[in-house]
mmCIF file with all atom_site columns, all heavy atoms in Angstrom:
data_model
loop_
_atom_site.group_PDB
_atom_site.id
_atom_site.type_symbol
_atom_site.label_atom_id
_atom_site.label_alt_id
_atom_site.label_comp_id
_atom_site.label_asym_id
_atom_site.label_entity_id
_atom_site.label_seq_id
_atom_site.pdbx_PDB_ins_code
_atom_site.Cartn_x
_atom_site.Cartn_y
_atom_site.Cartn_z
_atom_site.occupancy
_atom_site.B_iso_or_equiv
_atom_site.pdbx_formal_charge
_atom_site.auth_seq_id
_atom_site.auth_comp_id
_atom_site.auth_asym_id
_atom_site.auth_atom_id
_atom_site.pdbx_PDB_model_num
ATOM 1   N N   . THR A 1 228 ? 43.494 54.557 19.922 1.00 97.00 ? 863 THR A N   1
ATOM 2   C CA  . THR A 1 228 ? 42.739 55.745 20.344 1.00 97.00 ? 863 THR A CA  1
ATOM 3   C C   . THR A 1 228 ? 41.232 55.482 20.298 1.00 97.00 ? 863 THR A C   1
ATOM 4   O O   . THR A 1 228 ? 40.485 56.010 21.132 1.00 97.00 ? 863 THR A O   1
ATOM 5   C CB  . THR A 1 228 ? 43.074 56.955 19.453 1.00 97.00 ? 863 THR A CB  1
ATOM 6   O OG1 . THR A 1 228 ? 42.825 56.641 18.071 1.00 97.00 ? 863 THR A OG1 1
ATOM 7   C CG2 . THR A 1 228 ? 44.528 57.350 19.616 1.00 97.00 ? 863 THR A CG2 1
ATOM 8   N N   . ASP A 1 229 ? 40.789 54.673 19.358 1.00 97.00 ? 864 ASP A N   1
ATOM 9   C CA  . ASP A 1 229 ? 39.364 54.306 19.313 1.00 97.00 ? 864 ASP A CA  1
ATOM 10  C C   . ASP A 1 229 ? 38.975 53.537 20.585 1.00 97.00 ? 864 ASP A C   1
ATOM 11  O O   . ASP A 1 229 ? 37.931 53.810 21.200 1.00 97.00 ? 864 ASP A O   1
ATOM 12  C CB  . ASP A 1 229 ? 39.063 53.459 18.072 1.00 97.00 ? 864 ASP A CB  1
ATOM 13  C CG  . ASP A 1 229 ? 39.147 54.253 16.786 1.00 97.00 ? 864 ASP A CG  1
ATOM 14  O OD1 . ASP A 1 229 ? 39.122 55.502 16.858 1.00 97.00 ? 864 ASP A OD1 1
ATOM 15  O OD2 . ASP A 1 229 ? 39.245 53.635 15.710 1.00 97.00 ? 864 ASP A OD2 1
ATOM 16  N N   . GLY A 1 230 ? 39.808 52.575 20.970 1.00 97.00 ? 865 GLY A N   1
ATOM 17  C CA  . GLY A 1 230 ? 39.546 51.817 22.194 1.00 97.00 ? 865 GLY A CA  1
ATOM 18  C C   . GLY A 1 230 ? 39.606 52.693 23.435 1.00 97.00 ? 865 GLY A C   1
ATOM 19  O O   . GLY A 1 230 ? 38.808 52.537 24.372 1.00 97.00 ? 865 GLY A O   1
ATOM 20  N N   . LEU A 1 231 ? 40.538 53.645 23.433 1.00 97.00 ? 866 LEU A N   1
ATOM 21  C CA  . LEU A 1 231 ? 40.675 54.545 24.567 1.00 97.00 ? 866 LEU A CA  1
ATOM 22  C C   . LEU A 1 231 ? 39.458 55.457 24.678 1.00 97.00 ? 866 LEU A C   1
ATOM 23  O O   . LEU A 1 231 ? 38.971 55.733 25.786 1.00 97.00 ? 866 LEU A O   1
ATOM 24  C CB  . LEU A 1 231 ? 41.947 55.389 24.416 1.00 97.00 ? 866 LEU A CB  1
ATOM 25  C CG  . LEU A 1 231 ? 42.220 56.398 25.535 1.00 97.00 ? 866 LEU A CG  1
ATOM 26  C CD1 . LEU A 1 231 ? 42.313 55.699 26.886 1.00 97.00 ? 866 LEU A CD1 1
ATOM 27  C CD2 . LEU A 1 231 ? 43.497 57.179 25.238 1.00 97.00 ? 866 LEU A CD2 1
ATOM 28  N N   . SER A 1 232 ? 38.959 55.911 23.556 1.00 97.00 ? 867 SER A N   1
ATOM 29  C CA  . SER A 1 232 ? 37.782 56.777 23.567 1.00 97.00 ? 867 SER A CA  1
ATOM 30  C C   . SER A 1 232 ? 36.570 56.054 24.162 1.00 97.00 ? 867 SER A C   1
ATOM 31  O O   . SER A 1 232 ? 35.823 56.618 24.966 1.00 97.00 ? 867 SER A O   1
ATOM 32  C CB  . SER A 1 232 ? 37.469 57.248 22.144 1.00 97.00 ? 867 SER A CB  1
ATOM 33  O OG  . SER A 1 232 ? 36.317 58.067 22.127 1.00 97.00 ? 867 SER A OG  1
ATOM 34  N N   . LYS A 1 233 ? 36.387 54.791 23.793 1.00 97.00 ? 868 LYS A N   1
ATOM 35  C CA  . LYS A 1 233 ? 35.265 54.010 24.327 1.00 97.00 ? 868 LYS A CA  1
ATOM 36  C C   . LYS A 1 233 ? 35.438 53.768 25.826 1.00 97.00 ? 868 LYS A C   1
ATOM 37  O O   . LYS A 1 233 ? 34.477 53.862 26.597 1.00 97.00 ? 868 LYS A O   1
ATOM 38  C CB  . LYS A 1 233 ? 35.162 52.687 23.580 1.00 97.00 ? 868 LYS A CB  1
ATOM 39  C CG  . LYS A 1 233 ? 34.755 52.828 22.122 1.00 97.00 ? 868 LYS A CG  1
ATOM 40  C CD  . LYS A 1 233 ? 34.704 51.476 21.428 1.00 97.00 ? 868 LYS A CD  1
ATOM 41  C CE  . LYS A 1 233 ? 34.312 51.621 19.972 1.00 97.00 ? 868 LYS A CE  1
ATOM 42  N NZ  . LYS A 1 233 ? 34.298 50.300 19.274 1.00 97.00 ? 868 LYS A NZ  1
ATOM 43  N N   . ALA A 1 234 ? 36.660 53.474 26.235 1.00 97.00 ? 869 ALA A N   1
ATOM 44  C CA  . ALA A 1 234 ? 36.920 53.223 27.655 1.00 97.00 ? 869 ALA A CA  1
ATOM 45  C C   . ALA A 1 234 ? 36.709 54.488 28.478 1.00 97.00 ? 869 ALA A C   1
ATOM 46  O O   . ALA A 1 234 ? 36.165 54.440 29.592 1.00 97.00 ? 869 ALA A O   1
ATOM 47  C CB  . ALA A 1 234 ? 38.336 52.697 27.849 1.00 97.00 ? 869 ALA A CB  1
ATOM 48  N N   . ALA A 1 235 ? 37.125 55.630 27.938 1.00 97.00 ? 870 ALA A N   1
ATOM 49  C CA  . ALA A 1 235 ? 36.948 56.898 28.645 1.00 97.00 ? 870 ALA A CA  1
ATOM 50  C C   . ALA A 1 235 ? 35.467 57.237 28.766 1.00 97.00 ? 870 ALA A C   1
ATOM 51  O O   . ALA A 1 235 ? 35.005 57.725 29.814 1.00 97.00 ? 870 ALA A O   1
ATOM 52  C CB  . ALA A 1 235 ? 37.685 58.015 27.920 1.00 97.00 ? 870 ALA A CB  1
ATOM 53  N N   . SER A 1 236 ? 34.711 56.982 27.717 1.00 97.00 ? 871 SER A N   1
ATOM 54  C CA  . SER A 1 236 ? 33.270 57.243 27.751 1.00 97.00 ? 871 SER A CA  1
ATOM 55  C C   . SER A 1 236 ? 32.578 56.340 28.770 1.00 97.00 ? 871 SER A C   1
ATOM 56  O O   . SER A 1 236 ? 31.701 56.789 29.517 1.00 97.00 ? 871 SER A O   1
ATOM 57  C CB  . SER A 1 236 ? 32.670 57.030 26.358 1.00 97.00 ? 871 SER A CB  1
ATOM 58  O OG  . SER A 1 236 ? 31.271 57.237 26.375 1.00 97.00 ? 871 SER A OG  1
ATOM 59  N N   . ALA A 1 237 ? 32.976 55.072 28.791 1.00 97.00 ? 872 ALA A N   1
ATOM 60  C CA  . ALA A 1 237 ? 32.392 54.133 29.751 1.00 97.00 ? 872 ALA A CA  1
ATOM 61  C C   . ALA A 1 237 ? 32.718 54.543 31.182 1.00 97.00 ? 872 ALA A C   1
ATOM 62  O O   . ALA A 1 237 ? 31.875 54.431 32.080 1.00 97.00 ? 872 ALA A O   1
ATOM 63  C CB  . ALA A 1 237 ? 32.899 52.719 29.475 1.00 97.00 ? 872 ALA A CB  1
ATOM 64  N N   . LEU A 1 238 ? 33.931 55.034 31.407 1.00 97.00 ? 873 LEU A N   1
ATOM 65  C CA  . LEU A 1 238 ? 34.316 55.481 32.744 1.00 97.00 ? 873 LEU A CA  1
ATOM 66  C C   . LEU A 1 238 ? 33.514 56.711 33.144 1.00 97.00 ? 873 LEU A C   1
ATOM 67  O O   . LEU A 1 238 ? 33.057 56.824 34.294 1.00 97.00 ? 873 LEU A O   1
ATOM 68  C CB  . LEU A 1 238 ? 35.813 55.783 32.788 1.00 97.00 ? 873 LEU A CB  1
ATOM 69  C CG  . LEU A 1 238 ? 36.342 56.352 34.117 1.00 97.00 ? 873 LEU A CG  1
ATOM 70  C CD1 . LEU A 1 238 ? 35.989 55.435 35.281 1.00 97.00 ? 873 LEU A CD1 1
ATOM 71  C CD2 . LEU A 1 238 ? 37.848 56.575 34.042 1.00 97.00 ? 873 LEU A CD2 1
ATOM 72  N N   . THR A 1 239 ? 33.332 57.627 32.223 1.00 97.00 ? 874 THR A N   1
ATOM 73  C CA  . THR A 1 239 ? 32.528 58.817 32.513 1.00 97.00 ? 874 THR A CA  1
ATOM 74  C C   . THR A 1 239 ? 31.104 58.442 32.887 1.00 97.00 ? 874 THR A C   1
ATOM 75  O O   . THR A 1 239 ? 30.522 58.988 33.832 1.00 97.00 ? 874 THR A O   1
ATOM 76  C CB  . THR A 1 239 ? 32.525 59.763 31.307 1.00 97.00 ? 874 THR A CB  1
ATOM 77  O OG1 . THR A 1 239 ? 33.869 60.178 31.014 1.00 97.00 ? 874 THR A OG1 1
ATOM 78  C CG2 . THR A 1 239 ? 31.673 60.995 31.580 1.00 97.00 ? 874 THR A CG2 1
ATOM 79  N N   . ASP A 1 240 ? 30.537 57.491 32.147 1.00 97.00 ? 875 ASP A N   1
ATOM 80  C CA  . ASP A 1 240 ? 29.176 57.021 32.458 1.00 97.00 ? 875 ASP A CA  1
ATOM 81  C C   . ASP A 1 240 ? 29.134 56.371 33.840 1.00 97.00 ? 875 ASP A C   1
ATOM 82  O O   . ASP A 1 240 ? 28.169 56.559 34.599 1.00 97.00 ? 875 ASP A O   1
ATOM 83  C CB  . ASP A 1 240 ? 28.699 56.017 31.400 1.00 97.00 ? 875 ASP A CB  1
ATOM 84  C CG  . ASP A 1 240 ? 28.442 56.669 30.054 1.00 97.00 ? 875 ASP A CG  1
ATOM 85  O OD1 . ASP A 1 240 ? 28.296 57.909 30.020 1.00 97.00 ? 875 ASP A OD1 1
ATOM 86  O OD2 . ASP A 1 240 ? 28.390 55.948 29.045 1.00 97.00 ? 875 ASP A OD2 1
ATOM 87  N N   . ALA A 1 241 ? 30.166 55.605 34.158 1.00 97.00 ? 876 ALA A N   1
ATOM 88  C CA  . ALA A 1 241 ? 30.209 54.934 35.462 1.00 97.00 ? 876 ALA A CA  1
ATOM 89  C C   . ALA A 1 241 ? 30.305 55.951 36.595 1.00 97.00 ? 876 ALA A C   1
ATOM 90  O O   . ALA A 1 241 ? 29.694 55.783 37.653 1.00 97.00 ? 876 ALA A O   1
ATOM 91  C CB  . ALA A 1 241 ? 31.386 53.967 35.520 1.00 97.00 ? 876 ALA A CB  1
ATOM 92  N N   . ILE A 1 242 ? 31.078 57.008 36.379 1.00 97.00 ? 877 ILE A N   1
ATOM 93  C CA  . ILE A 1 242 ? 31.203 58.059 37.399 1.00 97.00 ? 877 ILE A CA  1
ATOM 94  C C   . ILE A 1 242 ? 29.867 58.783 37.586 1.00 97.00 ? 877 ILE A C   1
ATOM 95  O O   . ILE A 1 242 ? 29.419 59.028 38.713 1.00 97.00 ? 877 ILE A O   1
ATOM 96  C CB  . ILE A 1 242 ? 32.303 59.056 37.013 1.00 97.00 ? 877 ILE A CB  1
ATOM 97  C CG1 . ILE A 1 242 ? 33.678 58.364 37.036 1.00 97.00 ? 877 ILE A CG1 1
ATOM 98  C CG2 . ILE A 1 242 ? 32.311 60.264 37.945 1.00 97.00 ? 877 ILE A CG2 1
ATOM 99  C CD1 . ILE A 1 242 ? 34.783 59.206 36.456 1.00 97.00 ? 877 ILE A CD1 1
ATOM 100 N N   . ASN A 1 243 ? 29.230 59.129 36.470 1.00 96.00 ? 878 ASN A N   1
ATOM 101 C CA  . ASN A 1 243 ? 27.941 59.837 36.543 1.00 96.00 ? 878 ASN A CA  1
ATOM 102 C C   . ASN A 1 243 ? 26.862 58.989 37.210 1.00 96.00 ? 878 ASN A C   1
ATOM 103 O O   . ASN A 1 243 ? 25.911 59.531 37.791 1.00 96.00 ? 878 ASN A O   1
ATOM 104 C CB  . ASN A 1 243 ? 27.495 60.246 35.142 1.00 96.00 ? 878 ASN A CB  1
ATOM 105 C CG  . ASN A 1 243 ? 28.379 61.323 34.542 1.00 96.00 ? 878 ASN A CG  1
ATOM 106 O OD1 . ASN A 1 243 ? 29.040 62.058 35.265 1.00 96.00 ? 878 ASN A OD1 1
ATOM 107 N ND2 . ASN A 1 243 ? 28.402 61.414 33.225 1.00 96.00 ? 878 ASN A ND2 1
#
Side-chain angles (χ1 to χ4, degrees):
T863 56
D864 290 343
L866 179 58
S867 179
K868 293 179 181 178
S871 178
L873 176 55
T874 300
D875 290 342
I877 294 171
N878 291 337

